[in-house]
Amino acid sequence: MAAELTRRGAKTLLVPLIDWELPADTAELDQFLDAADSYDWLVLTSVTTVRALAQRARVRRVSLSSLIGSVKVAAVGAATGAALAELGVNVQLTPEEDQSAEGLLAALPAQPARALLPQSDLAADTLRAGLAGRGWMIDAVTAYVTVGYPAAAERRVSAVNDGADTGDSVDGDTVSANPGEPAGTVTQKKLLGDLRQGRIDVVVLTSPSIAARLHAMMESLPGTVATVAIGRRTERDASALGMRIDATASAPSPAGIADAVSTAVVNHRKRN
């Protein structure tokens, strides 16, 4: 996303507001993973879920593909599918257009099946309830928990292709490169300073959790700042907090976000 925005002429700041940890007790997650091959479908709704499962596979010194066996895999979108492909896991189903819980629900077969649904502790009930309403048997399990940045080093969910499970410390205005985190990422302190001093034109909210965290840090953004939501759920949750959304991405992709940034700038100028 940052690369696409930079290619289009934007100067992009990356600011981690939330992070992810494995559950304090992974026994339930491990139990379900041991039985993954007995399900019809493994349904994965984020790259972070893939990272968490890969981390548990590494602890057992096996690949994720061998751990989950021959179960059919459904991924919510292209990024999740790419993360799985990187780990040698074949994906049988991905929504073509609506890369969201709603889109995945629509893409999955109507015929009842048995599915394992590892997910965030903050996941909406859309997918589980929708599939259960079709007669599916769903086992939902917490694969990771969302926390304020930075996560505890010993439980941090690491990047898909990284063997380390720990993050580095924050120093000054630049965050040291944690696994999977771009070098040169700036701190929350610098973000708040830049917002207050009018040095930021657009804020991109990449999840409902990001919206909630930013709102807790700064209840209202300066009127000079346009706001973009990555998808409809983020738009709804941010709006419920009183945050103004100037544009919502048509797809949660680099191009979709960049297009929404351009739209937000135009909409914001018209409004002001």
Side-chain angles (χ1 to χ4, degrees), residues 20 22 51 54-56 58-59 151-159 162-168 178-179:
W20 302 277
L22 292 171
R51 292 176 174 179
Q55 204 156 317
R56 294 312 300 161
R58 285 201 301 270
V59 168
E154 67 275 12
R155 291 207 303 271
R156 187 176 193 265
V157 176
S158 59
D162 187 83
D165 294 337
T166 61
D168 296 323
N178 280 324

Side-chain angles (χ1 to χ4, degrees), residues 41 72 93 104-114 130-138:
W41 287 93
K72 289 181 287 189
L93 184 148
L104 186 53
L105 176 61
L108 283 163
Q111 182 177 355
R114 186 165 177 253
L131 290 173
R134 295 181 189 172
W136 282 50
M137 294 181 61
I138 309 297

Side-chain angles (χ1 to χ4, degrees), residues 1 204-207 228-232 234-235 247-253 257:
M1 182 175 68
V204 179
L205 303 173
T206 53
S207 73
V228 169
I230 194 172
R232 295 300 174 191
T234 300
E235 177 188 12
T248 298
S250 59
S253 63
I257 288 289

Side-chain angles (χ1 to χ4, degrees), residues 169-217:
S169 62
V170 176
D171 182 27
D173 281 342
T174 302
V175 178
S176 300
N178 280 324
E181 183 175 281
T185 300
V186 301
T187 63
Q188 297 172 21
K189 179 181 178 181
K190 178 167 174 53
L191 167 67
L192 294 178
D194 284 353
L195 283 169
R196 289 175 180 135
Q197 293 173 36
R199 291 198 292 261
I200 291 179
D201 300 303
V202 183
V203 167
V204 179
L205 303 173
T206 53
S207 73
S209 299
I210 290 288
R213 177 67 174 162
L214 183 58
H215 182 263
M217 294 165 56

Side-chain angles (χ1 to χ4, degrees), residues 6 9 12 26-27 66 72 87 90 100 153 169 190-191 204 210 214 232 251 261 266:
T6 300
T12 306
T26 60
S66 63
K72 289 181 287 189
L87 293 165
N90 293 321
S100 66
S169 62
K190 178 167 174 53
L191 167 67
V204 179
I210 290 288
L214 183 58
R232 295 300 174 191
V261 167
V266 173

Side-chain angles (χ1 to χ4, degrees), residues 18-26 29 48-49 52 119-123 141-152 155-157 209:
I18 60 172
D19 211 342
W20 302 277
E21 295 176 355
L22 292 171
D25 184 351
T26 60
L29 175 60
T48 309
T49 302
Q119 57 187 354
S120 161
D121 62 321
L122 300 180
V141 59
T142 297
Y144 66 94
V145 296
T146 303
V147 297
Y149 183 90
R155 291 207 303 271
R156 187 176 193 265
V157 176
S209 299

Side-chain angles (χ1 to χ4, degrees), residues 39-100:
Y39 290 87
D40 300 306
W41 287 93
L42 173 63
V43 181
L44 302 173
T45 56
S46 72
V47 173
T48 309
T49 302
V50 176
R51 292 176 174 179
L53 300 191
Q55 204 156 317
R56 294 312 300 161
R58 285 201 301 270
V59 168
R60 296 160 180 248
R61 301 185 183 278
V62 297
S63 66
L64 181 59
S65 59
S66 63
L67 180 61
I68 64 177
S70 60
V71 62
K72 289 181 287 189
V73 178
V76 72
T80 303
L84 288 162
E86 186 177 344
L87 293 165
V89 176
N90 293 321
V91 176
Q92 280 73 41
L93 184 148
T94 304
E96 291 185 5
E97 295 182 2
D98 184 3
Q99 296 182 8
S100 66

